[in-house]
């Protein structure tokens, strides 16, 4: 530092702000942030301490992924109002990113739980579990709905609710318990998508919270009626009344190659 002039060398100024000298040189070349003076004898850039707040503002905006052209526009029209608007916009962006990352984390935790279940499960076991309140996005189907139509319906819902990619969600199918009791094992009436942090709003489906019977079926769907017969026999033996819907969800789709290895998780609410 030149004590007489109060000037800082580019190295000193860069070190003071924890950045590289090349960053300051680039900012100078783009016209974003100029040195206070340039030594006419050697061409060295010099800065003053009073330039620090301006540089820190630029560094903050860069950290928030504000583009160089946007920062240049802001620097030409600096004001408290413009700064507030710019920061509020970035805060909104960060909030969306945080929500997205929380949803991805929740989805990954669900995948991990499914894998833990896969590694420890007894396929013949039927158990009672507790489930918390949740919301599902559903689309109505029937036996005449083609696979192509199902894909179109799901795609429309993902666009409607801005869901992004389905790896961030759990999804499956629903069949009324009344249909199962009548032996109509193909009477699927809805497909569902479960997104983390999805708050209730009109049109969403809310499964009951509380106790559920959980069982698993491995292999061809043609054999799933036999599994449901075992589930209802278990419920009758233990005095459980099953109601509403059976919620079916594949839990090992991403780790198998053969349909014979496909495992469906079946969950049915118990009336209490």
């Amino acid at each position: 530092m030149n004590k007489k002039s109060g000037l800082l060398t580019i190295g000193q100024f860069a070190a003071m702000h924890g950045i590289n000298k090349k960053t300051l040189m680039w900012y100078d070349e783009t016209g974003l942030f100029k040195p206070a003076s340039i030594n006419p004898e050697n061409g060295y850039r010099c800065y003053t301490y009073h330039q620090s707040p301006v540089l820190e503002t630029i560094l903050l905006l860069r950290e928030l992924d504000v583009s160089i052209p946007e920062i240049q526009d802001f620097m030409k029209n600096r004001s408290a109002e413009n700064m507030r608007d710019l920061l509020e916009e970035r805060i909104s962006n960060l909030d969306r990113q945080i929500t997205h990352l929380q949803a991805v984390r929740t989805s990954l935790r669900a995948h991990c739980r499914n894998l833990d279940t896969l590694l420890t499960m007894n396929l013949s076991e039927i158990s009672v579990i507790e489930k918390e309140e949740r919301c599902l996005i559903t689309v109505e189907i029937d036996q005449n709905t083609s696979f192509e139509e199902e894909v179109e319906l799901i795609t429309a819902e993902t666009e409607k609710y801005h869901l992004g990619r389905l790896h961030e969600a759990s999804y499956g199918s629903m069949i009324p318990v009344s249909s199962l009791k009548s032996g109509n094992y193909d009477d699927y009436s809805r497909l569902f998508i479960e997104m983390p942090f999805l708050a209730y709003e009109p049109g969403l489906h809310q499964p009951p919270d509380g106790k559920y019977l959980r069982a698993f079926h491995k292999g061809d769907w043609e054999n799933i009626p036999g599994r449901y017969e075992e589930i209802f026999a278990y419920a009758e033996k233990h005095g459980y009344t099953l109601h509403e819907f059976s919620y079916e969800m594949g839990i090992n789709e991403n780790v198998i190659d053969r349909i014979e290895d496909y495992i469906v998780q079946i969950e049915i609410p118990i009336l209490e």
Side-chain angles (χ1 to χ4, degrees), residues 12-270:
Q12 292 171 327
F13 197 66
M16 189 168 69
H17 292 276
I19 60 175
N20 192 289
K21 288 193 298 183
K22 290 183 178 179
T23 300
L24 286 173
M25 294 170 67
W26 182 54
Y27 285 172
D28 182 15
E29 292 167 2
T30 59
L32 181 61
F33 183 73
K34 293 286 188 180
S37 65
I38 296 179
N39 190 314
E41 297 179 2
N42 53 27
Y44 289 170
R45 297 171 174 86
C46 297
Y47 299 82
T48 69
Y49 176 79
H50 300 292
Q51 289 181 282
S52 289
V54 176
L55 179 59
E56 283 298 327
T57 299
I58 293 171
L59 295 176
L60 170 63
L61 296 178
R62 289 298 292 149
E63 190 171 347
L64 295 174
D65 290 328
V66 181
S67 69
I68 293 296
E70 286 181 287
I71 297 177
Q72 287 174 326
D73 289 341
F74 167 74
M75 297 303 291
K76 292 175 183 176
N77 301 283
R78 270 195 302 163
S79 69
E81 182 179 4
N82 289 342
M83 185 65 171
R84 181 204 60 197
D85 292 344
L86 192 56
L87 292 181
E88 285 185 347
E89 178 187 347
R90 260 38 197 192
I91 289 170
S92 296
N93 290 341
L94 285 172
D95 287 341
R96 285 192 291 270
Q97 292 175 31
I98 289 169
T99 299
H100 169 72
L101 290 173
Q102 288 175 329
V104 170
R105 186 184 188 282
T106 299
S107 178
L108 293 176
R109 291 306 310 165
H111 285 309
C112 286
R113 286 194 298 270
N114 287 343
L115 291 171
D116 287 340
T117 299
L118 282 172
L119 295 171
T120 59
M121 69 171 25
N122 178 353
L123 285 173
S124 63
E125 183 182 20
I126 299 174
S127 58
V128 177
I129 62 167
E130 288 278 347
K131 292 190 75 72
E132 297 179 352
E133 189 176 87
R134 55 193 172 135
C135 293
L136 304 179
I137 299 165
T138 61
V139 296
E140 294 187 4
I141 59 171
D142 57 36
Q143 296 181 32
N144 297 319
T145 307
S146 68
F147 175 73
E148 290 75 15
E149 290 171 328
E150 290 181 359
V151 171
E152 289 178 1
L153 289 169
I154 290 294
T155 300
E157 290 303 300
T158 60
E159 292 176 353
K160 176 181 176 181
Y161 287 94
H162 309 290
L163 299 185
R165 300 173 61 184
L166 283 180
H167 76 265
E168 299 170 7
S170 301
Y171 50 101
S173 54
M174 299 162 55
I175 183 169
V177 169
S178 58
S179 295
L180 294 170
K181 289 180 178 179
S182 301
N184 298 320
Y185 299 106
D186 295 326
D187 192 24
Y188 290 92
S189 61
R190 301 185 193 180
L191 302 176
F192 72 80
I193 307 171
E194 182 175 2
M195 290 292 297
F197 312 113
L198 185 63
Y200 177 76
E201 59 181 84
L204 295 179
H205 173 73
Q206 283 187 297
D209 58 348
K211 290 184 170 60
Y212 281 65
L213 271 193
R214 171 186 282 176
F216 301 92
H217 170 71
K218 181 178 181 180
D220 201 305
W221 258 275
E222 292 181 1
N223 299 321
I224 204 167
R227 189 55 169 155
Y228 273 115
E229 290 174 2
E230 294 172 355
I231 292 170
F232 282 104
Y234 181 94
E236 183 176 359
K237 177 181 177 180
H238 291 84
Y240 297 137
T241 299
L242 306 182
H243 72 124
E244 214 233 25
F245 291 93
S246 171
Y247 300 86
E248 297 181 5
M249 182 177 66
I251 63 170
N252 66 336
E253 295 168 311
N254 57 350
V255 293
I256 61 168
D257 296 315
R258 305 185 312 154
I259 190 63
E260 293 84 358
D261 297 322
Y262 188 79
I263 298 175
V264 178
Q265 174 183 277
I266 301 169
E267 295 180 342
I268 310 177
I270 298 171

